Amino acid sequence: MSSKVDGKVPAGDLSTMWTDQRFKMKLVNPANKRKHTVIVVGTGLAGASSAATLGELGYNVKAFCVHESPRRAHSVAAQGGINAAKNYQNDGDSIQRLFYDTIKGGDFRSREANVYRLAELSVNIIDQAVAQGVPLAREYGGLLSNRSFGGAQVSRTFYARGQTGQQLLLGAYSEMMRQVEAGTVKLYNRREMLELVVIDGKARGIITRNLLTGEIESHEADCVVMCTGGYSNVFFLSTNAMACAVTAAWKSHKKGAYFANPCFTQIHPTCIPVHGDIQSKLTLMSESLRNDGRVWVPQMKGDKRHPNEIPDSERDYYLERIYPSFGNLAPRDVSSRQAKFRCDEGRGVGETGQAVYLDFRDAINRLGRDKIAERYGNLFQMYEKITGENPYEQPMKIYPAPHYTMGGLWVDYNLMSTIPGLFVAGEANFSDHGANRLGASALMQGLADGYFVVPYTVGDYIAGNKMAPVTTDHEAFRSANQGVRSEIEKLLSIKGTRTVDSFHKELGRLMWEYCGMSRNEAGLKKALEEIPKIRKAFWSDVRIPGEADEVNTELEKACRVADFLELGELMCRDALERKESCGGHFREEYQTPDNEALRDDENFCHVSAWEWKGTDQPQELHKEKLSFENVKLSTRSYK
């Protein structure tokens, strides 16, 4: 077990570190940028902003999108807002406070330098978005509006009703398409990355499958920027879009990129509950709703009365009771656990008992229905369309669900993985959120990485490395191409009796039961016994109809599920190894008397970075020690 992974954090004061680092970086002059090619995998917020900015700088960019249009990236699902330390409300916000809230929100399991840079760059993102015409909400006088999100006592969240991710993505997308028109960016739609090509120890290209024709394609470049999002679909039912997968990151992991903190997954407390066995995904209700909605359950177990018939004296507004300083805006991890505790006590609501109420009665009485509709109307419409219930007239029913993943490929301060030339941005990397992401920080990280970090660090890498020209005729490309074809042929040749979804659901149920909202040693060991059995059955009994050289969604899913089956095992190993509770990683053996997470800073104040050692070999754990010189390690409290 290695005890050190070098994050390459520059020396110096946090407040000047990024400025000093940029000055020290090597530059590529404008004429030479045209000689270099950069591959960007993924065209969500991190990918579109990276491609747009690199194209604007003059690099030749190849951008790869799994959808027919980048506008379908899962970034559109981010509803509630984006954080920035502008202090427009004059309520005490600052870069330092956003930095501290993010460190604390992640339960002191993230790298200080990266988090401070994120807070520092947040103010630039809003200026960029406004310049692009993103329709962020405004106050009566024309100034940008802010609202509150969990884990903060200031209003720093900028928003566009319940469509913030979509509007920010349209801004980045429009800038990327501007570069497509200019010829600096070439966009490849309906392509899925299935392999990373490494030559002389450096990332030099990718292998993709054309999802319309089935063609296996090779693409070379001087470096690769991976922006492929998170892996919550390992649970099968999650808030993620169906196309969200770990495949690109996992293939890179198997080529030498360390995978960091895979057990750090976030359970979002504000999701529409599961309502049937044939569901393929879950729908998120924005955290912004908790600004005006009050969370409660009946005080009496098994109370089946209509919620409007239950008087206040018989309601338990448990978040307000347990966390009076933050109330309904307590962070996602603690809010999710408290909802689970209430349901485990027998006080859950709805037909299954696996839900709590989110009630807007008091806000409607205070502000009026029109004001609530102005703030959340599209979210209320979505809820009513899915459930058939009118949230203006009765409380929403919500329950926690898998959402964001704080784990991902390990990167250093410059967002480079352990493979030189492979950069990782946005949710695909591990770097900024520790063991729990605060709401409205995902959009912030994706755009900070894409607009303001990757363009500098990619330039420094290209300027500092002499790379021999390569073409797709290189043996490494031919070998990788053939490896992809062989795996597809193997999958199609099995011709078993079970569907891909049946295996995915079996894995997902096991992961949710033993590595979901809470974990324990016995459950994790059981999962580690069962996952290899599921994987073995998958490779002997999966049935994939159709052929390789056509549109074949079952084949697409099979390739992704094969990687989820390997990832799930690593997640459980990581969770078993981390003998503490922190953020979203809640080990039942390690909790305080009042059921809060109990960290072990002496033994686990580190990043767990796992190295692939082969299909039949256990992965090797490396540790990056986390030091806190600017904030004090303390017990995380929202009371």
Side-chain angles (χ1 to χ4, degrees), residues 323-337:
Y323 307 107
S325 295
F326 286 76
N328 296 296
L329 286 173
R332 293 175 176 179
D333 58 327
V334 296
S335 298
S336 293
R337 282 197 293 275

Side-chain angles (χ1 to χ4, degrees), residues 297-305 314-316 346-348:
V297 293
Q299 290 187 358
M300 183 173 64
K301 293 181 180 180
D303 193 334
K304 296 301 182 183
R305 287 178 291 174
E314 297 178 29
R315 298 181 177 189
D316 179 12
R347 294 197 282 145

Side-chain angles (χ1 to χ4, degrees), residues 1 250 253 528 535 566 569-570 573 577 609-622:
M1 182 185 298
W250 194 252
H253 173 53
L528 288 169
R535 188 166 62 247
E566 293 179 340
E569 188 169 353
L570 180 61
R573 279 198 65 198
E577 173 71 25
W610 295 87
E611 179 185 4
W612 179 263
K613 304 299 286 187
T615 303
D616 299 321
Q617 300 295 322
Q619 301 194 42
E620 183 178 355
L621 174 61
H622 304 271

